[in-house]
Amino acid sequence: MRRLFFLLGVLQLLAAAAAVYKQWIPNTNFETASNWDKGRVPCARDVVHFEKDKVVSVFVRSPYALTDMYLPLNGEFVLAAGAGFAAFDGSWDPGCDSGGTVRFTDAEQRSWFDPTLWQDVFSSGELKPSGRMFSVDEERIPCHYDDVIFPAETSFRVNTDSSQQVIHLRSISVMGQELSTPEAWAGYLQGPSALLQFHGNGTLQVTGTGCPDKSGCACGNAPDGPRICAALLRASGKQCPVPVCQSPLQPLGHCCGVCGATINLDFTPDFDLQKYQDRLVQELLSQPKYTGVQMAISKVHKAQTFLGIVSRSSTPLIQIVLIDDRAGAQTGTAAEQLAGDIMEDVAQHGEALGISSGKMEVATGSTFSRQRGSHTLSRITAGTVMGLLFGLMFLGGILFLYRKGRLRLPALRTPRPWDRLEDPVSPAPASDKGFDNPMFNVEPPGADPGEETPKDIQVFYLNPLYDASETET
């Protein structure tokens, strides 16, 4: 029985590791001081003011006595056990000597696609410690196969405006209730609270399914990338921080340039993303010399380009982003070293891992550092050889058709200066018979060029200006 319990525990741990939980941070609780314009919770002598045209959902955990309260036209108060409101009786309230008007702040602009409003948690809702792994900005938002948690005993309002009509999710937990099937979520949307909690043109849809591909699944937030970056930059001062490296890298799905290294891997159907991530963490990233290095790894789709034109198709690849905590000229050097070790591991074991080729780019704080790329494995070499063979076959086919007479090639002749010089014409010998006709210059039949015509041979010419029939009578 102990072995059985141990096995079940391991399976649950693996299942939890495969799932990704993202929790919404802000709330609209009555007890949250940041929800009020005074930066404090209303007290007994205060007048509480909710804007009449603002939609709100407010969770109230405790009982409150207030002097007065203006309510919105459309909203709800979710009361915990024993919570409620009462009129202030004028008795002394410590910490509330002078009353005033306290206004509830506007929660309309809290966007689903703001990376600063989400955090990674365990399935229990406990915050994950910031470790060696991080996510590019697009993946800080719930991806299509992630589980979303709105903490129990909290109210919220979130704007779901999106470039996509439907925002797919694996499950959503609201008020401590997990909704993991399309039917359960559809039933919740028909209730009174959903319209107060979610607003915007994007529709949330629960699928109840995880990523079906062992090579990983793309996050799915790329269409809203500009919206994500706009929200992120708005929260950080409307501009990206200036990187130390001269030519920062721009990972796919990330808003700002980074110093460090990126690796793009082409993979085969045998590739397993979770196993490969575990391999990198256990065998390379955990080494003491890489203590300050962080890694992000995920499947992304890179747009294909031809002659500088971006096509509609894209290529899936595994992107690894490495950054470190070094400063100055040493910025990114540890990430560069780890990237080199990863590429060496790919060169030695890539085929067994399901990796067909890889490319690395580096940008560090060193003035001598430049971005560089390196390709591994046989796919690149095979492509080059195939290109050469194709070119030779093409040229051979043209030569074969030309020799068979089925293909004519235009004769190209470059004029030469000496070809323009004409040989001088020798003057005709003097003769008492005939004269030089400038309109007719024909050698007599059978005469070789340059040979003098015998005088006893009669030569007849046809005069194109004379018609013999005109003399006949």
Side-chain angles (χ1 to χ4, degrees):
M1 293 298 292
R2 290 181 180 178
R3 289 183 178 180
L4 177 60
F5 289 149
F6 176 76
L7 178 60
L8 291 176
V10 171
L11 293 177
Q12 291 175 356
L13 180 61
L14 292 176
V20 177
Y21 295 87
K22 291 186 172 68
Q23 181 172 271
W24 179 254
I25 297 175
N27 61 61
T28 56
N29 289 6
F30 195 92
E31 287 81 9
T32 302
S34 60
N35 288 333
W36 302 95
D37 64 345
K38 302 293 185 181
R40 61 175 177 81
V41 180
C43 60
R45 293 182 182 273
D46 289 332
V47 175
V48 176
H49 197 286
F50 289 90
E51 298 293 336
K52 66 177 182 179
D53 57 343
K54 299 297 182 181
V55 179
V56 294
S57 173
V58 180
F59 181 81
V60 184
R61 183 176 287 109
S62 306
Y64 289 92
L66 301 172
T67 299
D68 203 352
M69 184 164 61
Y70 293 86
L71 299 177
L73 296 177
N74 188 11
E76 69 175 1
F77 288 93
V78 182
L79 304 179
F85 297 100
F88 176 53
D89 58 5
S91 60
W92 179 74
D93 184 9
C96 193
D97 294 335
S98 59
T101 300
V102 183
R103 300 179 182 275
F104 195 80
T105 56
D106 185 13
E108 293 291 311
Q109 302 305 318
R110 293 173 179 173
S111 171
W112 177 279
F113 291 101
D114 187 345
T116 65
L117 302 183
W118 294 97
Q119 59 187 3
D120 292 331
V121 296
F122 296 105
S123 59
S124 61
E126 181 183 358
L127 181 64
K128 277 187 177 181
S130 56
R132 310 297 298 277
M133 305 296 298
F134 76 99
S135 300
V136 294
D137 294 326
E138 287 183 6
E139 296 171 15
R140 294 168 60 185
I141 311 297
C143 298
H144 286 184
Y145 299 100
D146 289 349
D147 298 271
V148 173
I149 297 178
F150 292 92
E153 296 188 347
T154 60
S155 55
F156 60 91
R157 184 160 173 80
V158 54
N159 187 336
T160 61
D161 282 345
S162 172
S163 300
Q164 310 171 73
Q165 293 183 350
V166 179
I167 304 172
H168 296 277
L169 303 166
R170 182 176 179 269
S171 71
I172 298 180
S173 295
V174 181
M175 290 291 180
Q177 179 184 5
E178 182 180 1
L179 308 169
S180 57
T181 64
E183 295 77 16
W185 176 243
Y188 182 81
L189 290 179
Q190 296 176 359
S193 296
L195 294 177
L196 304 176
Q197 297 166 340
F198 303 98
H199 70 102
N201 61 16
T203 302
L204 302 180
Q205 180 174 332
V206 172
T207 62
T209 59
C211 175
D213 192 345
K214 69 177 183 178
S215 67
C217 294
C219 179
N221 286 332
D224 285 292
R227 191 184 305 270
I228 294 171
C229 292
L232 184 63
L233 296 179
R234 184 168 55 249
S236 62
K238 297 185 179 180
Q239 61 182 0
C240 290
V242 179
V244 178
C245 50
Q246 295 182 356
S247 301
L249 305 173
Q250 187 62 59
L252 293 176
H254 209 58
C255 297
C256 299
V258 299
C259 300
T262 60
I263 298 175
N264 291 337
L265 300 176
D266 294 322
F267 56 92
T268 69
D270 297 328
F271 180 76
D272 190 312
L273 178 60
Q274 187 62 48
K275 289 183 178 179
Y276 185 64
Q277 176 179 319
D278 295 341
R279 174 188 178 88
L280 294 182
V281 173
Q282 295 172 7
E283 298 186 9
L284 295 176
L285 189 61
S286 60
Q287 296 181 16
K289 61 181 178 179
Y290 298 133
T291 301
V293 180
Q294 288 185 301
M295 179 179 71
I297 178 171
S298 61
K299 177 186 284 188
V300 296
H301 287 276
K302 184 176 183 179
Q304 293 183 342
T305 59
F306 179 72
L307 298 179
I309 302 176
V310 179
S311 64
R312 294 183 179 180
S313 60
S314 59
T315 302
L317 53 86
I318 304 302
Q319 176 179 258
I320 302 174
V321 183
L322 302 170
I323 59 176
D324 58 39
D325 59 356
R326 297 188 179 183
Q330 296 299 314
T331 301
T333 54
E336 177 184 16
Q337 185 177 359
L338 176 56
D341 289 348
I342 293 176
M343 293 298 289
E344 183 178 353
D345 181 67
V346 168
Q348 296 178 0
H349 309 287
E351 184 176 357
L353 297 171
I355 300 173
S356 54
S357 66
K359 178 182 179 182
M360 178 181 72
E361 290 184 328
V362 173
T364 69
S366 173
T367 56
F368 301 100
S369 175
R370 297 180 180 178
Q371 294 186 10
R372 69 172 185 263
S374 59
H375 301 264
T376 61
L377 301 184
S378 59
R379 175 177 289 188
I380 305 301
T381 304
T384 303
V385 173
M386 290 298 295
L388 293 175
L389 290 178
F390 179 81
L392 293 176
M393 291 176 61
F394 179 76
L395 295 176
I398 292 178
L399 182 60
F400 175 80
L401 294 176
Y402 176 76
R403 290 185 173 181
K404 290 292 185 179
R406 298 182 181 180
L407 179 66
R408 289 188 176 183
L409 298 178
L412 298 179
R413 183 171 178 237
T414 304
R416 296 170 296 183
W418 52 83
D419 289 337
R420 298 179 182 178
L421 301 177
E422 298 179 356
D423 295 333
V425 180
S426 301
S431 174
D432 55 352
K433 293 182 179 181
F435 59 90
D436 293 332
N437 189 342
M439 300 185 62
F440 191 77
N441 185 15
V442 179
E443 293 290 337
D448 294 332
E451 182 180 356
E452 185 176 356
T453 306
K455 295 182 179 180
D456 57 345
I457 297 178
Q458 296 183 357
V459 180
F460 297 91
Y461 300 94
L462 296 178
N463 190 341
L465 298 178
Y466 177 76
D467 189 357
S469 62
E470 295 180 357
T471 60
E472 296 179 2
T473 56

